């Protein structure tokens, strides 16, 4: 008979670890990766008496779960999230080694995450161990999940065979609060105000929580809800990209020939973005322990988010060719200066089309994740059954009203960065140079603009999945194995995107059916001044700080009098097959896992090994378009099977240290968009097209991990790890010659159209050359009382990640090797805290090096994000056992989000989102 290892930790820490393990355990045994050692403490211990409070306790809680885990995992506990200065779970997760957050398009709130260099769609996301949806395809928008409803977040960096496949980077499990977190009845509520210094508005944030156990612990119930509003402001300078000039853009062909092939900004656009966000969330959990052998669990999480964003921008359109087909006027580039990097640093243009745009984004998301679970055990057997439901809906509406004006323009960016632009009145009689002899004029003159056009698009996204799971586990008392576990799961799912779009331009063309109106000629349109008086106050440079501003709804209603536009423009957008597709995905999986422990060379060890099989059946439909715009439906099916072995082992070393080793095969399925079989003819004359690929194989990789961990008896912890991933089927874009059947019009009027097979250059996603990732992680937490008792309450924590990767991309017909998108080679987080006598203080700084934002971005450029560092601070004070006051500061240094194209001197994007403060009161009893 093998002697089981006894717990070596002091009694209180063992109690904390056991209580935490119960509190964060998901309802599905398939996601329970913290095997209990029930004989570590006497049976008389009552875990419900253990109370965990404060920053240090939460850090210890997370450390103990990491120590006990069967695989490589990092954990944020509820206290971590509640005490850190975070707007959402993504902001909190950036403090985990190897996790980097992706900020939204405006550089503001963090929304999605990358893990160890693998992007948002290459991780697996679960809520309470079940598939989690936020309407963001395979990615997960953490801004939808309020921190108030979360108990813990687990980042599993190595899998066990009982975990759902799909996490090439990691599996991230969000655990909502459960009755086992509590003793008796518990109530808590928060009321806060949050304010952004640029927006200058204070908005509410509130949560309420109540629940406990009843009938001598036989039943438990939790109900919670959260509501928040937030007003932000983004001051932006944006270039839509850099592209090469062509000779037909110049009034003088000789000048055009000399500069042909040089890069110039297609636009340089000052833009004011005013977003507002409302979030409503509710969660509930019910547990019923029928008897000592049978237990039922049910939980539900509902989230609703509404984002409304107004955009005011001024767009000089350097991309227009000569003669300008956007107007009846001639015009073009008259002079350029090209630097050593083949970049245009000085440009003069006649009759430049200056666009004044006001746009509205109205995005709404609803998501629901729920499940029912039972657990039955008798003797050495435990059986789990789980039924899960997940669905999400997104309505993303965009509407834009555009006015156009004409100016002669001088552009200068001799030092890189933000260029200066000087505007002059257009001299239509002069065809050789800009009208620089006249006095410069301001583009902030409403009389210079007339109605030009409207745009609108709507994406309706539906996503759903049902999960049926059955698991069984048997404990075995032998010299070489502790137990076996096996199970099956079936997950049918659907993803559907319906797209609607319409663009109507050239409304001021002569003899058109629509009579244009000028901004100044329709006073009702200019019913509001520029929304702010200090636009761009933190972004130095010479650019317009205000420009004509009009009432979006009034301008839209005036344009809807045109037959070309039609009434109720945004409400009657026509269906666009080419942006619409459906994917049905059914996954059948099964696994077997064995747990073992023993001793080797005097060191005790514990581990697991297993095999997971997953069979995927995909059916997809999309639309194909021929050269005349005729559209037809295309359907495709595909199936594949993956066998995914995994093994994890940890060794207890002297001096409170652990050594972990892990190896596994992992996979992630392709994006839904890439699976659409549709074909879109982009240019029939140049024979170019794009097409999805329903026969794509998933991303597949082999990975290896080794970590060395230290757990001191006074809360000090340290860890160092190395990891390697070999991705064998990396998906990238490839352009190949392909014969397509197209419709060719008749040569003469009245001749019938004919079908013809033509060779096209078709860009499509393919399983190409692989990618590799090699990295290391280190982290420590040091309560300073271990240094000297006078420093009791103070502590430091730090983590650092280094990741090197290379991937193979195809940009049109050009092949390139680069780092993976979203991956910073270096990133770190450093923090200090004080936690004593009811006073909690934290200061945290998170930094990441530059990274590839998009390998194939606007105008085909590779876009890079510049290094970023964000400073956060928080303070809370417990007035008594029931009431505490809190304050948090976010982005205290005013860090800006910056992108560049190809080289640092080619500005792509700058966004200033300002600083934010959240303050309020917490009540609990």
């Amino acid at each position: 008979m093998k002697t089981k290892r006894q717990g070596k930790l002091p009694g209180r820490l063992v109690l904390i670890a056991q209580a935490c393990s119960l509190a964060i355990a998901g309802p599905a045994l398939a996601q329970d990766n913290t095997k209990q050692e029930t004989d570590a403490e006497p049976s008389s211990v009552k875990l419900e008496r253990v109370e965990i409070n404060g920053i240090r306790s939460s850090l210890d809680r997370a450390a103990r779960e990491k120590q006990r885990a069967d695989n490589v995992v990092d954990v944020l506990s509820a206290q971590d999230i509640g005490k850190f200065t975070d707007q959402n779970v993504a902001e909190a997760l950036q403090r985990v080694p190897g996790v980097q957050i992706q900020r939204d398009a405006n550089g503001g709130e963090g929304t999605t995450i990358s893990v160890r260099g693998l992007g948002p769609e290459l991780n697996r996301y679960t809520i309470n161990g079940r598939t989690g949806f936020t309407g963001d395809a395979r990615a997960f928008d953490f801004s939808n999940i309020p921190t108030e409803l979360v108990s813990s977040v687990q980042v599993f960096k190595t899998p066990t065979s009982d975990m759902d496949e799909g996490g090439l980077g990691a599996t991230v499990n969000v655990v909502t609060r459960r009755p086992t977190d509590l003793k008796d009845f518990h109530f808590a509520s928060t009321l806060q105000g949050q304010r952004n210094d640029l927006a200058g508005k204070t908005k509410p944030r509130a949560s309420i929580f109540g629940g406990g156990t009843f009938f001598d612990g036989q039943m438990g119930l939790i109900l919670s809800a959260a509501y928040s509003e937030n007003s932000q402001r983004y001051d932006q300078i944006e270039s839509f990209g850099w592209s090469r000039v062509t000779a037909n853009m110049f009034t003088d062909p000789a000048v055009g020939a000399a500069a042909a092939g040089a890069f110039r900004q297609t636009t340089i656009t000052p833009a004011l973005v005013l977003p507002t966000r409302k979030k409503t969330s509710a969660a509930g959990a019910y547990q019923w322990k029928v008897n000592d052998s049978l237990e039922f669990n049910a939980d539900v999480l509902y989230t609703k988010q509404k984002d409304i964003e107004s955009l005011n921008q001024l767009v000089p359109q350097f991309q227009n060719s000569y003669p300008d087909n956007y107007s009846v006027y001639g015009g073009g580039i008259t002079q350029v200066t090209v630097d050593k990097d083949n970049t245009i640093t000085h440009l003069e243009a006649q009759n430049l089309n200056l666009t004044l745009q006001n746009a509205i984004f109205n995005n709404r998301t609803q998501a629901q994740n729920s499940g029912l679970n039972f657990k039955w055990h008798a003797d050495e057997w435990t059986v789990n059954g789980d039924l899960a439901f997940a669905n999400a809906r997104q309505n993303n509406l965009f509407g834009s009203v555009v006015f156009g004006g004409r100016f002669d323009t001088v552009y200068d960016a001799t030092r890189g960065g933000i260029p200066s632009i000087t505007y002059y009145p257009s001299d239509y009689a002069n065809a050789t140079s800009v009208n620089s002899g006249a006095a410069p004029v301001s583009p902030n003159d409403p009389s210079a603009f007339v109605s030009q056009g409207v745009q609108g698009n709507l994406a309706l996204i539906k996503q759903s999945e049902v999960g049926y799971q059955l698991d069984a586990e048997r404990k075995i008392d032998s010299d070489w194995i502790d137990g076996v576990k096996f199970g099956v799961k079936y997950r049918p799912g659907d993803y559907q995107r319906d797209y609607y779009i319409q663009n109507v331009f050239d409304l001021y063309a002569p003899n058109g059916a629509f009579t244009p109106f000028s901004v100044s000629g329709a006073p009702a349109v200019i019913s509001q001044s520029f929304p702010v008086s200090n636009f761009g106050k933190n972004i130095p440079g010479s650019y317009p700080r205000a420009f004509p501003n009009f009432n979006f709804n009034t301008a839209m209603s005036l344009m809807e009098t045109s037959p070309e536009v039609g009434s109720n423009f945004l409400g009657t957008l026509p269906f666009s097959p080419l942006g619409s597709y459906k994917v049905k995905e059914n996954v059948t999986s099964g696994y077997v896992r064995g747990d073992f422990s023993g001793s080797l060379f005097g060191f005790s060890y514990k581990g697991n090994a297993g095999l997971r099989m997953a069979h995927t059946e995909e059916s997809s439909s999309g639309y194909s378009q021929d050269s005349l715009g005729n559209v037809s439906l295309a359907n495709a099916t595909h199936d594949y099977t993956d066998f995914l072995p995994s093994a994890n082992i940890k060794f207890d070393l002297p001096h409170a240290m652990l050594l972990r080793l892990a190896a596994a095969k992992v996979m992630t399925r392709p994006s839904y968009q890439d699976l659409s079989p549709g074909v879109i003819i982009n240019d029939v004359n140049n024979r170019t097209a794009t097409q999805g690929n329903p026969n794509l194989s998933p991303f597949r990789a082999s990975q290896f991990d080794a970590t060395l961990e230290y757990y001191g008896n006074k809360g000090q912890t340290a860890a160092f790890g190395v990891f390697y991933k070999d991705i064998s089927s990396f998906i990238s874009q490839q352009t190949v010659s392909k014969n397509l059947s197209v419709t060719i019009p008749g040569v003469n009027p009245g001749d019938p159209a004919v079908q013809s097979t033509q060779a096209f250059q078709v860009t499509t996603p393919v399983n190409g050359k692989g990618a590799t990732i090699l990295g290391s992680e280190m982290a420590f937490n040091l309560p300073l009382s271990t240094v000297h008792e006078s420093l009791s309450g103070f502590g430091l924590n730090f983590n650092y990640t280094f990741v090197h990767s290379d991937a193979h991309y195809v940009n049109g017909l050009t092949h390139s090797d680069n780092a993976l998108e979203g991956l910073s080679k270096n990133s770190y987080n450093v923090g200090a805290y004080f936690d004593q006598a009811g006073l909690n203080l934290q200061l945290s700084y998170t930094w990441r090096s530059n990274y590839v934002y998009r390998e194939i971005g606007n105008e085909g450029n590779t876009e890079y994000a510049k290094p970023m560092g964000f400073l956060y601070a928080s303070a809370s004070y417990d007035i008594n056992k029931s009431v505490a006051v809190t304050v948090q500061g976010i982005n205290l240094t005013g860090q800006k989000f910056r992108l560049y194209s190809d080289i640092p001197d080619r500005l792509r994007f700058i966004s200033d989102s300002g600083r934010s403060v959240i303050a309020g009161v917490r009540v609990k009893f």
Side-chain angles (χ1 to χ4, degrees), residues 331-543:
I333 301 172
T334 60
Q335 292 186 30
V336 293
T337 301
V338 181
D339 71 3
K340 61 181 178 59
D341 295 317
N342 203 28
T343 302
I344 292 178
T345 57
H346 181 86
L347 178 149
E348 298 183 10
Q350 289 183 309
N351 303 332
L352 182 82
N353 184 29
L354 187 62
T355 296
L356 188 66
Q357 184 180 31
N358 189 314
I360 295 292
F361 300 82
N362 190 331
N363 301 328
R364 305 182 184 215
T365 302
Q366 293 186 62
Q368 179 266 328
N369 298 269
S370 60
L372 177 66
N373 170 263
F374 80 86
K375 178 186 290 187
W376 174 84
H377 62 87
D379 298 327
E380 302 298 325
W381 282 94
T382 300
V383 177
N384 276 263
D386 194 78
L387 177 62
F389 304 90
N391 62 71
R393 292 172 177 262
Q394 274 194 342
N395 291 12
N396 300 328
L397 176 66
F398 165 77
S400 172
V401 180
V402 179
F403 287 74
R406 290 283 152 175
F407 297 88
D408 282 7
T409 306
V410 176
Y411 160 105
D412 187 79
T414 53
R415 298 180 188 87
I418 300 173
S420 64
I421 301 179
T422 307
Y423 296 97
Y424 300 92
S426 291
D427 181 3
Y428 306 125
N430 183 352
T432 59
S433 64
V434 300
N435 192 16
S436 56
V441 296
S442 170
N444 194 19
D445 179 6
S447 65
F449 297 89
V450 295
S451 54
Q452 179 171 319
V454 293
Q455 296 173 289
N457 62 67
L458 171 66
L460 301 179
I461 298 171
K462 300 177 183 179
Q463 189 173 7
S464 65
E465 181 181 289
V466 180
Y468 308 90
Q469 182 168 343
L470 185 65
D471 305 273
E473 179 179 9
R474 189 183 190 284
K475 294 181 180 178
I476 300 173
D477 192 1
S478 74
D479 291 337
W480 61 278
I481 188 167
D482 297 332
V484 294
K485 189 175 180 181
F486 51 90
V488 293
K489 190 169 188 177
Y490 178 59
R491 295 191 292 117
D494 295 275
Y495 183 91
Q496 178 175 339
R497 183 180 192 264
D498 293 329
Y499 192 57
Y500 304 80
I501 186 171
Q502 186 172 7
N503 299 321
V504 183
F505 281 96
D506 295 337
L507 294 180
Y508 56 75
N511 304 319
F514 177 56
T515 301
F517 58 88
S518 67
V519 174
S520 60
V525 176
I526 298 297
S527 60
Q528 53 195 22
S529 59
F530 195 71
V532 301
S533 60
N534 58 353
F535 173 74
K537 68 175 185 177
N538 299 319
I539 305 177
S542 176
Y543 54 89

Side-chain angles (χ1 to χ4, degrees), residues 604-619:
S604 60
Y605 64 83
K606 179 182 178 182
N608 61 81
L611 176 67
R612 187 175 189 87
M613 183 279 294
H615 178 69
T616 305
E617 297 176 309
E618 293 170 341
S619 60

Side-chain angles (χ1 to χ4, degrees), residues 523-777:
V525 176
I526 298 297
S527 60
Q528 53 195 22
S529 59
F530 195 71
V532 301
S533 60
N534 58 353
F535 173 74
K537 68 175 185 177
N538 299 319
I539 305 177
S542 176
Y543 54 89
R545 305 290 175 140
F547 30 91
N549 184 42
F550 48 89
N551 184 289
F552 176 88
N553 292 326
T554 303
M556 179 68 77
S557 64
L558 289 173
M559 288 191 175
E560 286 177 342
T561 62
S562 162
E564 289 90 345
V565 177
S567 62
N568 192 21
F569 177 79
L570 294 179
T572 57
L573 295 173
F575 178 68
S576 173
L578 299 181
S580 305
Y581 52 90
K582 298 179 183 179
V583 177
K584 179 182 289 290
E585 188 173 81
N586 297 333
V587 178
T588 304
S589 58
Y591 72 90
V592 61
R593 165 181 164 170
D595 294 335
F596 54 85
S597 61
S599 179
L600 182 66
F601 302 121
F603 300 116
S604 60
Y605 64 83
K606 179 182 178 182
N608 61 81
L611 176 67
R612 187 175 189 87
M613 183 279 294
H615 178 69
T616 305
E617 297 176 309
E618 293 170 341
S619 60
S620 56
S621 62
Y623 293 85
S624 296
Q625 178 192 35
D626 65 21
S627 59
L628 290 184
N630 299 316
V631 175
S632 59
L633 181 65
N635 296 285
T637 60
H638 184 218
D639 67 274
Y640 49 87
T641 301
D642 286 273
F643 293 91
L644 306 170
S646 62
N648 298 268
I649 188 169
K650 64 179 179 181
F651 293 89
D652 287 326
L653 303 181
H655 310 296
M657 299 185 72
L658 289 177
L659 172 66
R660 294 184 192 270
L661 301 174
K665 286 192 173 182
V666 293
M667 59 87 76
T668 294
R669 296 172 179 89
S671 70
Y672 295 116
Q673 181 178 356
D674 285 346
L675 293 173
S676 172
V679 179
I680 301 175
I681 304 294
N682 298 324
D683 188 332
V684 68
N685 294 318
N686 292 319
R687 298 289 192 268
T688 61
T690 56
Q691 181 178 18
N693 184 356
N695 294 315
L696 282 173
S697 296
F699 294 86
R700 295 186 173 107
S702 298
Q703 65 178 42
F704 306 91
D705 284 75
T707 65
L708 186 64
E709 303 165 14
Y710 167 75
Y711 297 92
N713 59 7
K714 294 184 179 181
Q716 67 273 39
T717 62
F720 174 78
V722 293
F723 56 89
Y724 175 77
K725 293 178 183 283
D726 183 3
I727 306 174
S728 61
S729 56
F730 187 77
I731 297 175
S732 63
Q733 300 295 315
Q734 180 173 307
T735 301
V736 297
S737 180
K738 187 174 183 179
N739 291 330
L740 297 179
S741 178
V742 297
T743 304
I744 305 299
V747 177
N748 302 309
D751 290 348
V754 297
Q755 289 293 119
S756 176
T757 299
Q758 304 287 331
F760 277 73
Q761 295 298 316
V762 180
T763 300
T764 186
V766 295
N767 293 109
K769 183 180 177 181
T772 58
I773 299 174
L774 176 64
S776 62
E777 299 169 348

Side-chain angles (χ1 to χ4, degrees), residues 57-71:
S57 294
S58 67
L59 292 173
D60 181 79
R61 174 185 179 182
R64 297 310 165 191
E65 184 180 354
K66 178 181 177 71
Q67 180 184 17
R68 295 168 62 87
D70 292 337
N71 49 352

Side-chain angles (χ1 to χ4, degrees), residues 754-832:
V754 297
Q755 289 293 119
S756 176
T757 299
Q758 304 287 331
F760 277 73
Q761 295 298 316
V762 180
T763 300
T764 186
V766 295
N767 293 109
K769 183 180 177 181
T772 58
I773 299 174
L774 176 64
S776 62
E777 299 169 348
M778 62 180 298
F780 74 80
N781 174 57
L782 178 64
L784 293 181
S785 59
T786 61
V787 178
H788 195 276
E789 61 182 13
S790 65
L791 299 176
S792 177
F794 290 94
L796 300 173
N797 50 55
F798 173 80
N799 67 65
Y800 167 76
T801 303
F802 168 83
V803 184
H804 172 76
S805 74
D806 64 82
H808 189 70
Y809 297 91
V810 181
N811 185 344
L813 295 174
T814 303
H815 297 243
S816 64
D817 292 296
N818 211 334
L820 290 164
E821 290 183 345
L823 169 65
S824 291
K825 180 175 288 189
N826 297 281
S827 61
Y828 66 83
N829 176 76
V830 59

Side-chain angles (χ1 to χ4, degrees), residues 35 44 49 66 76 140-141 242 331 358 361 381 419 781 815:
K35 179 181 175 183
S44 60
R49 293 182 180 177
K66 178 181 177 71
L76 290 176
F140 193 90
D141 185 350
W242 290 75
N358 189 314
F361 300 82
W381 282 94
N781 174 57
H815 297 243

